[in-house]
């Protein structure tokens, strides 16, 4: 009953039964009797059957008990073979006997007389005019329904040919059975197929595919001849050999025979005999018909139990399917209507044109699916099977075999099963091989369903079950999920390799990512002028489309590329498309091989600079580190990618994965933003020293900071805030560090000159401050400082970490031992930090809480001054106090490190200390000489403001160091108590007289030996007081009034003076009353 379910017929009508050609070729003459052969003695049994025997026997297929005429079972020539091979219940049906004998096992031989008898019997069936009359009688209603068959000319055998071709449309049971039996007879020998001998005789001879004469070979194994021709056709496509090219008309005949035998595997005689045992082993319960046995065998092709002979036969048939999809009955039937709807077979006049190739069919129908057009589920199921077939066996693609033979034999041999050879070729891909693999992968389209790639499916099964179990099996998002877990603990090595090999090709054609194509096809057509899914343009090749999309994805109105928002709206991507572009960029950042443009332009540089960088993500980091050394084309693409990362650091998936704890703890608010504009990286930099920061994240963030120094465009927020200022004030400067220096110098000059309007915009000044603070954290972020100090770092600070400005602090402490160049750079750095304490990373870090407590209202440039004023507070943190002391000591080494003194004495220093300035170079330290000079000139009447600042230059730091060194030598208990107090160890200031008195007594005590440096500092302090005493006396009332009004104790002095006046007034008042009373008493007397 399976035949009743057949609906569509095969798609094309070619060679069929041909009455006169078969007879002519064999040299037989049609007579009035059913058969007449050249040798009567050999076929004696055939001379006597009744004329109507063939007709009766043929009709016996549908009416097995109707005829009582001639029987094959009664012929002596075949009786022995019949008894040996066929069950007795088949003897009454001639066609059943014929089927039994011709389907025997290959190793079983028939008697020669029986062979000839069977041959002539089949020939009579196909040449007797009454055979057609039986078909007319049995298939009357069917012929009326099939227009093409009803119009065929009677009496020439064409009617039966038409019925064979349309047997899939025959619903009448008896007619279907009859035609099915006749079909098996026809395909038992190629010579019975209409026109086959005429078209392929020369090719059979030239290729030596077998005999064409009766008696030279077993007439019932002529399927080997067709098999030989099929193999030759496949070999010709794979090798493009032209030694014995098969004629075009024979090629069509071969494919037509394969097409006509696609329904029932019994009709492919060679495959039937090769796979008979395998059919019983794997497909025993699969009913023949509609190509079901073929499909079953295809699915088991790579099973270990499959015989090599059957596997080879199946491969040959699959190769024919790849040349003409109609060789697959199930595919042609399932997709017939869809092919017509999607206009995939445009040229019906060319039956073997490119429209017949399996790859064209798949591309055309896949394009319809990707565009959202309806394609039946049955057709999509068949497409899935054949796409999987193409990915499993590379040999089914002639182009792969032709162009990849050397690589397959040398490096991928023995891997032909389950798609391993293709993955091996993907790993080796280069030159023409890449193009052929790309074409194959586009046809198979594994991006739409990972299960198509059997090697990937098997390798990643465990990962999918754990990491991607929430996604429906076969969903395109499975591949994206696998990419998200690449280089994680859940990923296994084999899956990682297979995934990257496939993604290499998917990344080179945006259409192979079905989600990206679905979300972005409208934007791509509008902005990038793309064509259909299966069409390409020379102006916009597939690899260039994604570049076009991401340029529009990250093109913002703020960048000034468009004059109006209306124009901008016309060139921006849709929201869904931009999300997909970001997803692809995140995946590509995992490996440089997934970025086609990067690999193409940087192949030479990768080999030159990064050949030893094999770990995950190292190749891109290496290219970024050698940015200046790269060739221009590679430098451009690496620069563009780095610039893109600065805007959306989440593109660097490895960094984001490593920094997940820090992001969750400190940056989750900015990480959740769908559009990142550099905020996340800025947050990571600011929290680089938090406890959640791990080593991988810290290294990655620092690497990105170092790369940003190479070009100011690599800092997105800085670029957007300052690009106009850079173009105006710092043209032709590219390096970020140079741009920062240029802009900060401009800001500093404008500030010192107190100009009315700053040349650098406010938004740029704010971002410039952020960049300067980031650079102060790590010496490597300031190349002009780092390069001269490299040798000093390795010599003096080999075990000091770079972060948290620790290396810079170490160099400051070892300043006297530094090389000249490094010393000069450190001095310049200190000069900048003293004028702008906010850039002093260590001071700001150590004193962060104290600044919040004491200096919230102080200007940023006066933070150090504020801290110095509150240094002796009981609430001051000891660590911060120690840092303040260090900075005070540093200030006393050179007047240029004290901005307040420098400003106050800018007129007096050239006047009184010019000789010192003349001897010193610009970058050399003056070692406190200017300050000492100013102290000596107190008596020479330097300006009052300068004198005060010079007197205020505390030697606190040096005195404290002296105290610490000599504390044990000081015997006065009061002095020890002062300096041993746990909270006053360093509370020695000019306002504290007890410690200084103690020290002065120790200096005068001959029994106490102070260190020379300490004695010198104490003597300097004494001399300073004596000089101050000489300057102190006021010369007149006005001078006295000025001193009082400028004194810090002004209020106290005025209060005392007021109280004195009040006391005098009261005394005078009381004295006056007494005198008046005495006078009155005298008058009364």
């Amino acid at each position: 009953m399976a035949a009743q379910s057949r609906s569509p017929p095969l798609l094309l009508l070619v060679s069929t039964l041909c009455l006169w050609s078969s007879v002519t070729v064999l040299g037989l003459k049609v007579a009035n009797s059913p058969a007449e052969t050249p040798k009567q003695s050999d076929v004696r049994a055939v001379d006597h059957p009744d004329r109507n025997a063939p007709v009766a026997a043929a009709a016996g297929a549908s009416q097995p008990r109707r005829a009582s005429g001639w029987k094959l079972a009664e012929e002596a020539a075949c009786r022995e073979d019949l008894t040996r091979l066929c069950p007795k219940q088949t003897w009454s049906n001639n066609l059943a006997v014929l089927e039994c004998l011709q389907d025997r096992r290959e190793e079983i031989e028939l008697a020669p007389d029986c062979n000839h008898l069977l041959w002539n019997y089949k020939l009579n069936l196909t040449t007797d005019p009454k055979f057609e009359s039986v078909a007319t009688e049995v298939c009357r209603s069917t012929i009326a329904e099939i227009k093409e068959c009803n119009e065929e000319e009677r009496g020439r055998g064409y009617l039966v040919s038409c019925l064979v071709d349309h047997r899939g449309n025959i619903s009448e049971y008896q007619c279907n059975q009859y035609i099915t039996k006749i079909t098996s007879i026809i395909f038992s020998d190629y010579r019975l197929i209409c026109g086959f001998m005429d078209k392929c005789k020369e090719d059979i001879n030239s290729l030596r595919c077998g005999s064409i004469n009766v008696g030279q070979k077993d007439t019932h194994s002529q399927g080997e001849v067709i098999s030989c021709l099929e193999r030759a056709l496949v070999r010709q496509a794979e090798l493009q050999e032209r030694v014995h090219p098969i004629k075009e008309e024979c090629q069509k005949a071969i494919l037509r025979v394969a097409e006509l035998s696609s329904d029932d595997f019994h009709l492919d005689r060679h495959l039937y005999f090769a796979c008979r045992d395998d059919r019983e082993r794997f497909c025993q319960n699969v009913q023949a018909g509609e190509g079901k046995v073929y499909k079953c065998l295809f699915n088991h092709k790579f099973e270990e139990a499959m015989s090599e002979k059957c596997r080879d036969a199946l491969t040959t048939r699959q190769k024919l399917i790849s040349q003409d999809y109609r060789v697959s009955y199930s595919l042609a039937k399932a997709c017939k209507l869809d092919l017509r709807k999607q206009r995939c077979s445009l040229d019906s006049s060319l039956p073997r044109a490119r429209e017949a190739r399996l790859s064209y069919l798949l591309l055309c129908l896949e394009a319809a699916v990707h565009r959202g057009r309806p394609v039946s589920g049955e057709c999509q199921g068949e497409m899935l099977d054949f796409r999987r077939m193409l990915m499993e066996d590379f040999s089914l693609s002639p182009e792969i075999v032709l162009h990849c033979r050397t690589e397959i034999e040398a490096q991928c041999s023995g891997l032909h099963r389950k798609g391993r050879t293709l993955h091996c070729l993907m790993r080796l891909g280069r030159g023409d091989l890449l193009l052929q693999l790309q074409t194959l992968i586009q046809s198979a389209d594994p991006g739409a369903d990972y299960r198509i790639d059997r090697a990937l499916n098997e390798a990643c099964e465990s990962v999918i079950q754990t990491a991607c179990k929430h996604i429906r099996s076969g969903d395109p998002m499975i591949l994206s999920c696998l990419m998200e877990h690449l280089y994680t603990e859940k990923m296994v090595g084999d899956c990682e390799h297979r995934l990257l090999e496939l993604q290499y090709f998917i990344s080179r054609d945006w259409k192979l990512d079905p989600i990206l194509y679905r979300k972005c096809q409208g934007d791509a057509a509008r902005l990038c002028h793309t064509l259909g899914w299966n069409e390409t343009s020379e102006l916009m090749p597939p690899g260039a489309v994604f570049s076009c999309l991401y340029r529009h994805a990250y093109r913002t109105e703020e960048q000034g590329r468009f004059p109006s928002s209306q124009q901008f709206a016309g060139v921006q991507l849709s929201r869904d498309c931009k999300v997909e572009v970001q997803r692809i960029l995140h995946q590509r950042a995992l490996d440089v091989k997934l970025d086609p443009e990067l690999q193409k332009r940087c192949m030479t540089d990768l080999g030159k600079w990064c050949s030893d960088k094999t770990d995950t993500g190292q190749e891109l980091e290496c290219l970024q580190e050698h940015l200046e050394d790269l060739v221009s084309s590679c430098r451009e693409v690496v620069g563009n990618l780095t610039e893109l990362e600065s805007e959306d650091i989440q593109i660097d998936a490895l960094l984001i994965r490593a920094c997940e704890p820090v992001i969750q703890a400190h940056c989750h608010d900015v990480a959740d933003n769908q559009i990142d504009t550099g905020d996340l990286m800025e947050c990571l930099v600011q929290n680089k020293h938090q406890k959640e920061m791990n080593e991988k994240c810290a290294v990655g963030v620092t690497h990105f900071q170092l790369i940003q120094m190479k070009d100011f465009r690599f800092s997105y927020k800085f670029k957007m805030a300052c690009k106009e200022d850079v173009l105006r004030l710092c043209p032709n400067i590219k390096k970020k560090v140079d741009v920062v220096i240029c802009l900060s110098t401009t800001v500093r000059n404008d500030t010192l000159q107190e100009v009315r309007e700053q040349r650098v915009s406010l938004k740029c000044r704010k971002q410039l401050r952020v960049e300067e603070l980031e650079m102060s954290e790590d010496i490597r972020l300031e190349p002009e400082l780092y390069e001269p100090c490299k040798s000093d770092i390795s010599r003096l600070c080999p075990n000091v970490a770079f972060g948290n400005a620790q290396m810079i602090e170490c160099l400051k402490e070892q300043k006297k031992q530094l090389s000249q160049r490094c010393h000069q750079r450190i001095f310049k750095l200190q000069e900048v930090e003293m004028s702008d304490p906010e850039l002093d990373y260590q001071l700001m870090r150590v004193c962060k809480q104290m600044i919040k407590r004491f200096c919230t209202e102080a200007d940023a440039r006066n933070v150090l001054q504020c801290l110095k004023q509150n240094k002796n507070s009981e609430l001051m943190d000891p660590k911060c106090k120690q840092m303040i002391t260090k900075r005070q000591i540093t200030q006393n080494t050179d007047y240029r490190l004290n901005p307040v003194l420098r400003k106050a004495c800018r007129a007096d220093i050239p006047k009184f200390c010019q000789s010192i300035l003349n001897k010193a170079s610009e970058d050399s330290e003056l070692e406190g000489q200017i300050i000492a000079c100013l102290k000596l000139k107190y008596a020479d009447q330097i300006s009052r403001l300068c004198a005060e600042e010079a007197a205020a230059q505390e030697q606190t730091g040096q005195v404290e160091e002296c105290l610490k060194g000599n504390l044990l030598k000081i015997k006065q208990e009061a002095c020890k108590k002062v300096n041993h107090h746990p909270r006053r160890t360093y509370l020695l200031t000019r306002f504290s007289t007890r410690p200084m008195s103690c020290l002065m007594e120790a200096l005068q005590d001959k029994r106490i030996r102070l260190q020379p440096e300490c004695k010198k500092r104490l003597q300097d302090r004494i001399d300073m007081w004596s000089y101050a005493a000489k300057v102190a006396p006021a010369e007149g009332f006005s001078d006295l009034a000025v001193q009082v009004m400028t004194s810090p104790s002004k209020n106290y002095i005025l209060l005392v003076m007021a109280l004195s006046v009040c006391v005098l007034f009261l005394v005078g008042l009381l004295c006056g009353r007494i005198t008046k009373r005495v006078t009155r008493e005298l008058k009364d007397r």
Side-chain angles (χ1 to χ4, degrees):
M1 297 298 292
Q4 290 179 316
S5 63
R6 303 175 188 173
S7 51
L10 294 171
L11 298 177
L12 196 54
L13 295 176
V14 273
S15 354
T16 55
L17 298 172
C18 186
L19 178 64
W20 305 111
S21 62
S22 296
V23 177
T24 303
V25 169
L26 292 171
L28 299 175
K29 180 175 69 176
V30 179
N32 291 331
S33 61
E36 183 179 341
T37 63
K39 297 183 180 180
Q40 297 293 331
S41 58
D42 292 338
V43 287
R44 188 179 302 108
V46 185
D47 290 339
H48 303 290
D50 180 65
R51 178 183 180 91
N52 295 326
V55 177
S62 57
Q63 302 172 12
R65 301 189 182 276
R66 169 183 163 189
S68 58
W70 178 81
K71 303 290 185 184
L72 268 175
E74 297 174 356
E75 294 297 324
C78 292
R79 188 171 299 156
E80 183 180 348
D81 294 316
L82 188 66
T83 305
R84 180 164 50 94
L85 299 174
C86 302
K88 196 167 184 178
Q89 62 267 25
T90 63
W91 292 5
S92 61
N93 189 322
N94 286 344
L95 292 183
V97 170
L98 180 61
E99 184 178 16
C100 171
L101 292 176
Q102 71 180 13
D103 288 352
R104 73 196 185 284
R105 289 186 175 277
E106 191 174 12
E107 63 273 12
I108 299 175
E109 298 289 341
L110 292 180
D113 287 348
C114 184
N115 263 333
H116 289 295
L117 175 65
L118 295 176
W119 165 253
N120 283 279
Y121 173 69
K122 290 189 292 183
L123 183 59
N124 279 321
L125 285 178
T126 60
T127 58
D128 196 309
K130 292 187 178 180
F131 177 68
E132 187 176 281
S133 65
V134 174
T136 304
E137 180 183 349
V138 176
C139 301
R140 181 173 300 152
S141 59
T142 299
I143 295 172
E145 293 174 359
I146 303 175
K147 183 179 179 181
E148 294 89 339
C149 299
N150 196 27
E151 294 175 352
E152 290 289 353
E153 184 180 353
R154 301 296 190 267
R156 300 186 62 183
Y158 292 156
L159 176 62
V160 176
S161 300
C162 181
L163 290 172
V164 169
D165 280 336
H166 289 81
R167 66 186 186 277
N169 281 343
I170 299 175
S171 57
E172 190 177 357
Y173 176 69
Q174 289 184 342
C175 180
N176 202 321
Q177 290 291 90
Y178 170 70
I179 294 300
T180 299
K181 291 294 183 181
I182 293 303
T183 303
S184 64
I185 293 172
I186 294 170
F187 280 90
S188 66
D189 197 306
Y190 72 96
R191 292 170 296 185
L192 301 180
I193 302 171
C194 178
F196 190 85
M197 274 300 302
D198 292 336
K199 295 173 182 177
C200 293
K201 179 179 180 181
E202 293 180 9
D203 295 298
I204 292 173
N205 286 327
S206 63
L207 295 168
R208 298 186 179 182
C209 282
S211 170
I212 59 171
N213 295 320
V214 179
Q216 293 184 2
K217 199 171 183 181
D218 180 2
T219 56
H220 300 286
S221 63
Q222 293 300 312
E224 293 294 334
V225 176
I226 297 179
S227 174
C228 174
L229 290 172
E230 290 174 344
R231 290 194 297 270
L233 179 61
V234 168
R235 189 166 58 251
Q236 178 174 300
E238 293 176 348
L239 304 179
Q240 291 188 349
E241 58 181 19
R242 298 299 177 189
V243 180
H244 298 293
I246 301 175
K247 294 185 300 183
E248 183 69 24
E249 60 179 5
C250 183
Q251 292 183 33
K252 294 178 181 180
I254 294 169
L255 289 172
R256 177 57 177 163
V257 169
E259 178 186 341
L260 292 173
S261 62
S262 63
D263 182 11
D264 190 344
F265 95 111
H266 291 87
L267 306 182
D268 188 333
R269 306 307 294 169
H270 172 73
L271 188 143
Y272 169 74
F273 285 117
C275 297
R276 187 158 43 184
D277 291 338
D278 296 286
R279 187 267 170 95
E280 294 299 319
R281 185 179 301 114
F282 297 110
C283 311
Q284 184 178 10
N285 299 322
V286 177
Q287 190 173 4
E290 298 186 347
K292 294 178 181 178
V293 176
Y294 285 126
K295 288 186 66 174
C296 176
L297 292 172
F298 288 158
N299 291 335
H300 293 86
K301 176 180 169 182
F302 290 116
E303 297 288 342
E304 294 295 333
M306 176 69 72
S307 65
E308 286 296 330
K309 191 172 183 180
C310 180
R311 185 179 290 121
D312 292 341
L314 291 171
T315 300
T316 300
R317 186 156 193 92
Q318 287 177 323
K319 291 178 180 180
L320 293 175
I321 294 174
S322 69
Q323 294 193 37
D324 189 340
Y325 73 91
R326 287 167 286 204
V327 176
S328 169
Y329 178 86
S330 57
L331 180 62
K333 175 186 174 183
C335 297
K336 179 180 179 180
L337 294 178
D338 294 294
L339 288 170
R340 188 177 303 163
K341 287 179 182 178
Q342 307 305 332
R343 301 176 63 83
C344 294
S345 297
L346 300 178
D347 196 348
S348 58
S349 63
L350 297 175
R352 304 299 162 187
R354 68 185 183 96
E355 286 82 2
R357 292 185 66 84
L358 177 64
S359 59
Y360 177 82
L361 163 78
L362 293 176
L363 287 173
C364 182
L365 292 177
E366 285 165 14
V369 173
H370 286 298
R371 286 197 293 262
R373 296 178 181 175
V375 175
S376 66
E378 186 181 3
C379 180
Q380 290 195 45
E382 289 294 328
M383 289 167 58
L384 182 65
D385 290 339
F386 282 95
R387 285 155 56 194
R388 185 185 293 115
M389 180 185 79
L390 290 175
M391 288 295 293
E392 277 187 353
D393 193 345
F394 75 95
S395 65
L396 304 185
S397 303
E399 297 81 3
I400 298 292
V401 177
L402 176 64
H403 293 89
C404 311
R405 184 176 302 277
T406 303
E407 288 82 358
I408 293 172
E409 293 176 354
Q411 303 185 54
C412 303
S413 59
L415 300 174
H416 62 281
R417 297 185 179 183
K418 300 181 181 179
R420 295 193 183 97
T421 300
L422 271 180
H423 274 273
C424 176
L425 293 174
M426 291 178 191
R427 190 166 59 252
L428 301 173
R430 53 183 175 269
D432 290 339
L433 174 57
L434 285 177
L435 180 61
Q436 304 307 326
L437 288 172
Q438 191 74 34
T439 302
L440 171 62
I441 291 174
Q442 185 180 8
S443 300
D445 194 17
D449 191 337
Y450 73 96
R451 296 171 299 180
I452 292 171
D453 189 342
R454 184 170 179 179
L456 175 69
N457 189 15
E458 293 182 356
C460 298
E461 185 176 3
S462 61
V463 183
I464 294 171
Q465 292 300 323
T466 55
C468 310
K469 59 183 178 181
H470 60 287
I471 303 176
R472 178 179 56 84
S473 179
D475 193 288
M477 283 303 296
I478 290 285
L479 276 182
S480 184
C481 173
L482 291 174
M483 287 299 297
E484 289 174 6
H485 289 86
L486 193 65
Y487 305 127
T488 65
E489 296 179 355
K490 294 183 178 180
M491 180 60 63
V492 296
D494 198 26
C495 177
E496 177 182 303
H497 296 150
R498 302 294 85 77
L499 180 61
L500 284 175
E501 288 159 5
L502 178 61
Q503 283 292 140
Y504 177 90
F505 290 91
I506 292 179
S507 65
R508 278 152 178 77
D509 189 344
W510 75 292
K511 297 176 295 189
L512 297 182
D513 189 309
I515 304 172
L516 175 68
Y517 183 80
R518 186 170 64 248
K519 297 293 181 65
C520 294
Q521 57 179 321
D523 294 304
R526 176 169 51 90
L527 301 173
C528 308
H529 311 292
T530 58
L531 303 176
W533 189 88
N534 57 335
E535 298 174 313
T536 57
S537 168
E538 293 183 1
L539 298 177
M540 186 61 68
V545 175
F546 184 76
S547 299
C548 171
L549 289 174
Y550 90 68
R551 281 197 301 272
H552 286 87
Y554 289 90
R555 177 179 283 177
T556 63
E557 191 174 7
E558 290 181 0
Q559 291 174 294
R561 301 186 185 182
F562 305 105
S564 68
S565 58
Q566 184 175 4
Q567 288 177 315
F568 171 69
V571 294
Q572 65 177 343
L573 294 185
S574 63
R575 183 185 183 90
D576 290 343
C577 181
K578 184 169 183 178
V579 170
E580 291 306 312
V581 169
Q582 289 175 327
R583 175 179 66 85
I584 298 300
L585 286 172
H586 296 170
Q587 294 176 3
R588 289 188 175 189
L590 296 172
D591 197 307
V592 295
K593 297 184 183 66
L594 300 182
D595 192 323
E597 196 71 14
L598 181 66
Q599 194 189 35
K600 176 183 176 181
R601 297 192 184 184
C602 299
M603 185 65 71
T604 303
D605 289 304
L606 282 169
K608 183 177 181 180
W609 304 107
C610 311
S611 57
D612 58 333
K613 305 295 183 181
T614 56
D615 290 345
T616 305
Q618 282 190 340
E619 288 178 310
L620 179 58
E621 291 181 359
C622 172
L623 290 174
Q624 291 173 329
E625 289 170 1
H626 291 87
L627 187 65
E628 297 87 351
D629 304 317
L630 304 179
V631 297
S632 58
S633 59
C634 179
R635 184 166 58 247
E636 180 185 1
V637 70
V638 173
N640 290 338
L641 179 59
T642 308
E643 187 176 358
L644 204 61
E645 284 184 347
S646 72
E647 180 177 354
D648 183 5
I649 193 58
Q650 297 194 50
I651 290 174
D652 192 343
L654 294 175
L655 176 64
I656 296 302
R657 199 176 292 165
C659 296
E660 189 65 28
V662 187
I663 293 173
Q664 292 298 326
H666 303 284
C667 308
H668 60 87
D669 52 338
V670 294
D672 293 338
N673 295 338
Q674 291 190 349
I675 301 178
D676 181 20
T677 54
D679 296 320
L680 182 56
M681 175 51 72
E682 188 175 287
C683 178
L684 289 174
V685 171
Q686 293 171 354
N687 293 278
K688 194 163 73 169
H689 300 288
Q690 297 291 344
K691 62 180 181 180
E692 292 86 2
M693 178 66 69
N694 55 61
E695 183 180 359
K696 283 186 178 181
C697 181
V699 169
V701 172
T702 302
H703 164 78
F704 198 78
Q705 286 181 285
L706 294 172
I707 298 305
Q708 286 181 326
M709 293 297 107
K710 297 179 182 291
D711 195 321
F712 81 95
R713 295 180 300 118
F714 297 165
S715 298
Y716 179 75
K717 299 189 76 172
F718 182 53
K719 175 186 69 176
M720 297 306 298
C722 297
K723 64 179 180 180
E724 294 178 0
D725 301 275
V726 172
L727 293 174
R728 180 165 43 87
L729 300 171
C730 311
N732 304 320
I733 299 180
K734 189 174 182 180
K735 286 188 176 181
K736 178 182 174 182
V737 62
D738 295 334
V739 172
V740 171
I741 292 173
C742 172
L743 293 176
S744 60
T745 302
T746 304
V747 173
R748 189 179 301 112
N749 291 340
D750 289 349
T751 303
L752 293 175
Q753 295 173 13
E754 299 180 354
V755 296
R756 181 175 299 178
E757 185 177 352
Q758 290 270 0
R759 286 175 289 174
V760 180
S761 63
L762 178 60
K763 66 176 181 178
C764 181
R765 292 202 302 271
K766 290 181 178 179
Q767 190 59 37
L768 182 63
R769 172 61 49 173
V770 174
E771 301 299 330
E772 289 176 328
L773 293 175
E774 287 184 8
M775 291 169 61
S776 66
E777 185 266 339
D778 193 326
I779 191 174
R780 293 171 297 179
L781 301 180
E782 298 189 59
E784 291 190 353
L785 175 62
Y786 179 57
E787 292 299 328
C789 294
K790 272 186 176 180
S791 58
D792 299 280
I793 290 172
S794 58
R795 179 169 54 90
L796 301 173
C797 309
N799 301 318
V800 178
F802 284 98
N804 261 338
Q806 295 179 70
M807 185 61 69
I808 295 176
E809 196 67 23
C810 174
L811 293 175
K812 290 177 181 177
E813 292 172 357
Q814 306 282 345
K815 189 165 62 172
K816 292 184 178 180
Q817 303 179 46
L818 298 178
S819 62
Q820 184 180 0
R821 287 184 63 213
C822 183
H823 188 281
Q824 291 172 353
R825 295 295 181 183
I826 290 294
F827 177 74
K828 285 291 184 184
L829 175 66
Q830 289 179 319
E831 187 176 358
V832 172
E833 289 178 348
M834 291 302 178
S835 63
D836 190 352
E838 201 173 15
L839 299 179
D840 189 339
Y841 188 88
Q842 277 280 26
L843 176 69
M844 301 303 290
R845 183 182 68 85
V846 174
C847 297
K848 183 177 181 180
Q849 298 301 324
M850 297 300 101
I851 293 172
K852 290 181 179 180
R853 176 173 294 171
F854 297 110
C855 308
T856 53
E857 298 180 359
D859 184 77
R861 296 182 180 274
N862 297 324
V863 168
L864 180 58
Q865 195 71 15
C866 171
L867 290 172
K868 286 161 61 176
Q869 293 172 359
N870 292 277
K871 176 181 173 184
N872 299 316
S873 170
E874 292 290 336
L875 301 176
M876 178 61 70
D877 178 64
K879 290 183 179 180
C880 178
K881 188 183 300 182
Q882 185 179 8
M883 183 59 66
I884 297 170
T885 301
K886 284 184 179 182
R887 296 300 180 257
Q888 288 179 295
I889 295 173
T890 300
Q891 283 188 328
N892 289 331
T893 61
D894 198 300
Y895 80 100
R896 288 169 293 185
L897 302 181
N898 191 326
V900 178
L901 176 66
R902 186 174 186 177
K903 182 178 180 181
C905 302
R906 59 187 173 189
D908 296 301
I909 291 175
K911 181 177 179 181
F912 299 104
C913 308
Q914 186 62 44
S915 60
I916 300 174
L917 295 177
N918 292 337
K919 295 178 182 178
S921 61
E922 183 179 354
D923 296 326
S924 63
E925 276 192 67
L926 299 176
E927 302 292 342
Q929 297 178 60
I930 295 293
I931 297 177
C933 170
L934 292 174
K935 293 175 183 178
L936 291 171
K937 299 299 180 181
Y938 279 171
D940 297 333
Q941 297 300 309
I942 62 174
S943 65
R944 184 174 61 257
L945 185 59
C946 180
E948 291 175 358
E949 289 299 330
Q953 295 310 303
E954 303 177 23
Q955 304 294 325
T956 308
Q958 290 88 335
V959 173
E960 289 169 359
E961 295 299 321
C962 168
L963 281 175
K964 287 190 289 185
N966 294 280
L967 187 62
L968 296 178
K969 300 176 183 178
I970 301 175
K971 294 185 176 182
Q972 286 92 333
E973 289 300 322
C975 188
K976 285 188 176 182
K977 188 176 294 184
V978 169
N979 293 289
H980 254 34
H981 194 281
R983 293 199 46 87
R984 298 193 61 188
T985 303
Y986 299 105
L987 293 181
L988 297 174
T989 69
R990 65 176 179 272
F991 302 109
S992 303
T993 56
R994 289 176 59 200
M996 290 307 300
S997 300
C998 173
L999 284 171
M1000 291 175 65
E1001 291 176 7
L1003 181 63
Q1004 295 172 359
D1005 193 339
K1006 303 298 183 182
R1007 295 171 298 175
I1008 299 175
R1009 299 183 61 184
L1010 301 179
Q1011 294 181 359
E1013 183 68 17
C1014 183
K1015 291 174 67 177
K1016 182 177 181 302
R1017 296 296 181 185
L1018 285 172
Q1019 190 62 48
D1020 288 343
R1021 177 61 62 89
I1022 294 172
D1023 293 342
M1024 182 183 67
W1025 287 340
S1026 64
Y1027 289 136
K1030 294 177 182 178
V1031 178
E1035 295 182 351
F1037 183 78
S1038 61
D1039 196 8
L1040 178 62
V1042 170
Q1043 287 190 11
V1044 170
M1045 294 306 294
T1046 57
S1047 172
S1049 303
K1050 175 182 69 174
N1051 295 334
Y1052 174 73
I1053 295 173
L1054 293 176
L1055 179 62
V1056 170
M1057 293 174 65
L1059 289 173
S1060 299
V1061 171
C1062 290
V1063 169
L1064 289 173
F1065 176 77
L1066 291 173
V1067 170
L1069 183 64
L1070 291 174
C1071 292
R1073 287 181 176 275
I1074 294 173
T1075 55
K1076 286 181 180 180
R1077 187 178 302 167
V1078 171
T1079 302
R1080 187 178 299 140
E1081 289 177 353
L1082 291 174
K1083 287 181 178 180
D1084 293 339
R1085 283 182 186 178

